[in-house]
Amino acid sequence: MKVTQIPFQKTGFFSKTMHDYLEKNKNIQPFFNNFPDISGFHNQIEEKQKSYRLQSRLILVDALKSQYKSFEISEKTNENIALLKKQNTFTITTGHQLNLFTGPLYFLYKIISTINLSEELSEKFPEQNFVPMYWMATEDHDFDEINYFNFDGKKVLWNRKDGGAVGRFSTEGLQDVFDVFSNHLGNSKNAQFLKNLFEDAYLKHHNLADATRFIANKLFGEFGLVIIDGDDASLKQLFNPFVKEELEHQISFTEVSKTIVELEKNYKIQVNPREINLFYLGDDFRERIIFEDNLYKVNNTNITFTKAQILAEVDENPKAFSPNVIMRPLYQEVILPNLCYIGGGGEMAYWFELKAYFEKVNIPFPILLLRNSVQIVSEKQSLKLEKLEISSEEIFLNQYDLISKKVIENSEIKTNFKEKITFLQKQFADLKEVAKKTDVSFENAVNAQERKQIKGLENLEKRLLKAEKRRQQDLVDRITTIQNELLPNQSLEERQRNFSEYYLEFGVNYIKALKGALKPLQLEFTLLEI
């Protein structure tokens, strides 16, 4: 196994928001609390320890025991759940949708980042305990985002009727998906593991939440991962005061809107708040709560409440109130003794909108950590890259730019058009000084001639490059093939592939390699040669 780290910024796949955060740019500093380094964690521990109550710990542990009661639980996970009763125990949390068979590769990277960070912090802070937590997004209702995964370039799709919280979805109908997937796998030992994993998860559990818990527990239980389902009455009761405050005063809308005004001066806004950032959750629907004509109404239904009625409903039926993307992070931080949220760039971008809201409701804003990203490179691919003299950073160049660069480097014709253009510009600089002493028409003629000649040189450069690409077609084809293998659809493979492709080839060694390679606090992109 060979591990190479490169800066996220050098890949071209991360936003300006993420670049500035990683570099602690002054423009982004008002929108986060402690930075993900050892000093930041020291401060965060102090903040969270003061605010998180023992009673909340006891409710959390009881809820987790109830959620796990029909699952085999590893000794390490069981120990971690018990540790959550202690005032010196904290969580490191990641969250993800209930994608079919884990969905894209980065599901694994999120969870392994969370496990590895918990282990590293246990070494740095031996008097504290750190528990890795996976928050299942069971209340999401965007089924189209989770009803498939990609395997070997093909989409494995689950067709069923949409509606309501996905965690409550019946797994009925997944036998057909299993049959299709199974036919692709073959009969190796690793293939049998994947078949058993899919079958045991989806064909032996009645809903998507339990199936997803089974898979995550099977893959990561040995490392002590604790899996939490927020669609839980006892946990939501802890959140009731914030739900009532939202219904009566719409604090999130006010505070997040003010933050957006400042944030959008330099960055793209990820999400916009509603006036009420709560859904009403039924058995087969999840609809926005809106306030109109002095009544609380559930959108697209006939359900209405007076103020007194809806506040009573919060106490009587807490599971019916489901936080949206703006309030879900607060729910997480209220019910967990959490220090850090590990997420992708898009997730972190909307967390940056929330700091002032957290401060307003007196909940510590967690450390935000960009999850590990990984590019798997096989030994064979590594040899090809070496022969083509493509460096780790060059892998991520735009394909046109990468091919152009390598064709020029490999060309017998050595001419630098940039130098020629610079020389030309210097010549015209002298002419422009002369032109300033004449009339405007002559000055305009000089400028036009400069543009024309520079354009001519640029066109000649393009024609020469085109000719060289034709002459070096074999090199062009080899570069195209290797980059397409590594970056399917010119995108990071972690968004395109499912873990089953690599598990089929490497088995448990794939998980072990990731576990050994990922260093969350290094804040770098990982190339992993297996």
Side-chain angles (χ1 to χ4, degrees):
M1 184 178 83
K2 180 183 175 185
V3 179
T4 305
Q5 307 279 5
I6 65 173
F8 283 107
Q9 298 91 318
K10 293 287 182 71
T11 68
F13 284 102
F14 293 85
S15 67
K16 177 182 182 293
T17 309
M18 287 304 99
H19 291 186
D20 282 3
Y21 180 58
L22 295 170
E23 294 160 12
K24 302 185 201 176
N25 185 289
K26 62 180 177 61
N27 291 329
I28 198 78
Q29 286 183 8
F31 307 104
F32 67 88
N33 185 18
N34 291 305
F35 193 73
D37 54 27
I38 297 305
S39 172
F41 277 100
H42 177 82
N43 296 336
Q44 197 73 27
I45 288 168
E46 287 191 356
E47 285 183 40
K48 195 69 180 183
Q49 205 155 27
K50 292 173 186 174
S51 68
Y52 192 72
R53 298 178 300 122
L54 176 60
Q55 183 62 26
S56 298
R57 290 183 178 276
L58 299 177
I59 292 169
L60 173 64
V61 169
D62 285 346
L64 287 168
K65 285 180 176 177
S66 176
Q67 290 180 17
Y68 270 97
K69 66 184 176 186
S70 59
F71 291 83
E72 284 187 25
I73 186 168
S74 73
E75 185 179 339
K76 180 69 173 168
T77 296
N78 202 32
E79 180 184 308
N80 278 342
I81 291 173
L83 282 172
L84 286 167
K85 287 184 179 179
K86 297 187 175 183
Q87 293 286 66
N88 65 338
T89 299
F90 302 94
T91 59
I92 305 298
T93 302
T94 193
H96 197 66
Q97 295 168 299
L98 306 189
N99 293 74
L100 189 62
F101 211 47
T102 75
L105 275 169
Y106 64 79
F107 172 85
L108 272 70
Y109 305 157
K110 278 183 165 184
I111 290 178
I112 295 173
S113 296
T114 304
I115 292 166
N116 284 1
L117 178 56
S118 298
E119 292 178 358
E120 183 175 353
L121 292 174
S122 295
E123 293 175 6
K124 304 288 187 187
F125 300 95
E127 294 182 359
Q128 320 293 339
N129 306 303
F130 302 91
V131 173
M133 183 79 68
Y134 161 44
W135 181 290
M136 296 192 294
T138 54
E139 293 179 57
D140 277 8
H141 60 273
D142 198 339
F143 184 57
D144 288 342
E145 290 186 2
I146 68 163
N147 67 344
Y148 71 94
F149 64 97
N150 295 314
F151 178 81
D152 198 22
K154 302 176 185 72
K155 182 178 278 193
V156 181
L157 182 68
W158 178 22
N159 282 311
R160 59 147 284 160
K161 184 183 175 185
D162 196 356
V166 294
R168 301 180 185 183
F169 278 13
S170 167
T171 52
E172 187 178 348
L174 278 166
Q175 177 71 53
D176 294 339
V177 179
F178 172 70
D179 292 341
V180 171
F181 179 48
S182 183
N183 288 336
H184 288 305
L185 288 173
N187 295 301
S188 67
K189 179 183 174 183
N190 293 336
Q192 197 55 53
F193 172 84
L194 292 169
K195 289 177 186 179
N196 290 342
L197 181 63
F198 192 104
E199 187 173 18
D200 291 345
Y202 294 109
L203 306 187
K204 296 181 181 178
H205 292 89
H206 297 301
N207 62 56
L208 198 52
D210 285 350
T212 304
R213 183 187 295 273
F214 179 86
I215 291 173
N217 189 50
K218 186 76 173 177
L219 294 176
F220 302 110
E222 66 177 293
F223 306 115
L225 181 71
V226 176
I227 303 156
I228 188 167
D229 181 353
D231 188 10
D232 183 291
S234 62
L235 296 177
K236 284 192 172 178
Q237 281 177 340
L238 288 174
F239 196 54
N240 277 0
F242 300 90
V243 171
K244 289 179 179 179
E245 202 165 28
E246 176 70 6
L247 291 166
E248 289 190 86
H249 305 297
Q250 290 88 57
I251 293 174
S252 64
F253 177 76
T254 303
E255 294 302 321
V256 174
S257 295
K258 285 192 288 190
T259 298
I260 285 174
V261 170
E262 296 303 314
L263 190 61
E264 67 183 354
K265 290 177 182 176
N266 295 291
Y267 305 105
K268 183 181 176 182
I269 298 304
Q270 194 73 11
V271 295
N272 286 290
R274 304 280 188 180
E275 289 189 4
I276 295 175
N277 290 289
L278 293 165
F279 290 98
Y280 191 83
L281 187 58
D283 290 334
D284 57 0
F285 69 91
R286 183 177 185 244
E287 295 287 351
R288 287 192 297 119
I289 299 171
I290 55 179
F291 187 66
E292 276 182 352
D293 306 323
N294 219 29
L295 286 173
Y296 293 89
K297 301 178 181 179
V298 179
N299 202 36
N300 295 321
T301 75
N302 295 320
I303 302 170
T304 62
F305 299 95
T306 64
K307 180 179 174 180
Q309 287 172 334
I310 201 165
L311 294 178
E313 180 77 353
V314 173
D315 289 325
E316 293 167 14
N317 188 17
K319 281 189 77 171
F321 294 86
S322 177
N324 75 354
V325 67
I326 294 292
M327 285 193 72
R328 193 215 61 79
L330 181 68
Y331 177 39
Q332 170 189 296
E333 296 302 311
V334 166
I335 68 173
L336 296 179
N338 195 50
L339 300 178
C340 174
Y341 183 75
I342 297 178
E347 290 175 282
M348 292 182 64
Y350 71 70
W351 274 86
F352 289 134
E353 300 176 26
L354 304 177
K355 180 169 175 267
Y357 172 39
F358 272 69
E359 290 171 349
K360 187 72 173 178
V361 296
N362 295 313
I363 296 295
F365 192 66
I367 290 173
L368 302 176
L369 177 61
L370 183 61
R371 65 168 172 79
N372 284 111
S373 279
V374 183
Q375 175 64 56
I376 303 295
V377 182
S378 69
E379 190 175 346
K380 187 177 177 182
Q381 288 169 330
S382 184
L383 287 171
K384 288 180 181 178
L385 291 168
E386 195 175 324
K387 284 180 182 176
L388 292 167
E389 298 183 351
I390 297 174
S391 71
S392 298
E393 292 179 6
E394 287 173 336
I395 289 169
F396 301 99
L397 287 173
N398 170 280
Q399 192 164 92
Y400 176 87
D401 294 338
L402 175 61
I403 290 170
S404 299
K405 187 173 190 288
K406 293 302 163 186
V407 163
I408 290 167
E409 287 176 4
N410 196 56
S411 176
E412 296 171 1
I413 303 167
K414 301 298 179 186
T415 183
N416 191 324
F417 279 88
K418 286 186 174 59
E419 286 181 3
K420 296 183 187 307
I421 289 171
T422 301
F423 177 78
L424 190 65
Q425 288 170 329
K426 286 178 181 175
Q427 302 305 304
F428 272 96
D430 293 339
L431 268 177
K432 286 177 183 177
E433 289 302 314
V434 173
K436 285 177 184 176
K437 298 172 184 176
T438 60
D439 61 22
V440 174
S441 63
F442 183 66
E443 192 173 355
N444 290 341
V446 170
N447 289 332
Q449 190 63 27
E450 179 187 30
R451 287 193 297 272
K452 182 179 178 181
Q453 293 201 28
I454 289 173
K455 186 70 175 174
L457 280 174
E458 288 171 345
N459 287 336
L460 285 174
E461 182 181 25
K462 287 176 184 175
R463 291 187 67 173
L464 177 60
L465 181 59
K466 200 171 180 180
E468 278 296 290
K469 284 179 179 178
R470 285 196 300 269
R471 195 177 67 83
Q472 300 183 48
Q473 190 62 50
D474 178 61
L475 176 66
V476 170
D477 291 343
R478 287 161 62 206
I479 292 171
T480 301
T481 299
I482 187 66
Q483 196 187 48
N484 286 347
E485 285 178 11
L486 295 169
L487 303 177
N489 300 320
Q490 288 295 288
S491 174
L492 292 178
E493 69 163 2
E494 64 185 31
R495 296 187 169 277
Q496 304 289 320
R497 294 188 170 121
N498 180 263
F499 88 98
S500 54
E501 290 186 47
Y502 285 120
Y503 199 96
L504 193 61
E505 185 174 357
F506 300 110
V508 72
N509 289 332
Y510 172 57
I511 306 284
K512 288 180 178 177
L514 290 172
K515 180 78 173 54
L518 301 192
K519 309 293 181 189
L521 293 185
Q522 286 187 2
L523 302 177
E524 289 188 308
F525 190 100
T526 302
L527 271 81
L528 177 58
E529 183 183 323
I530 304 180

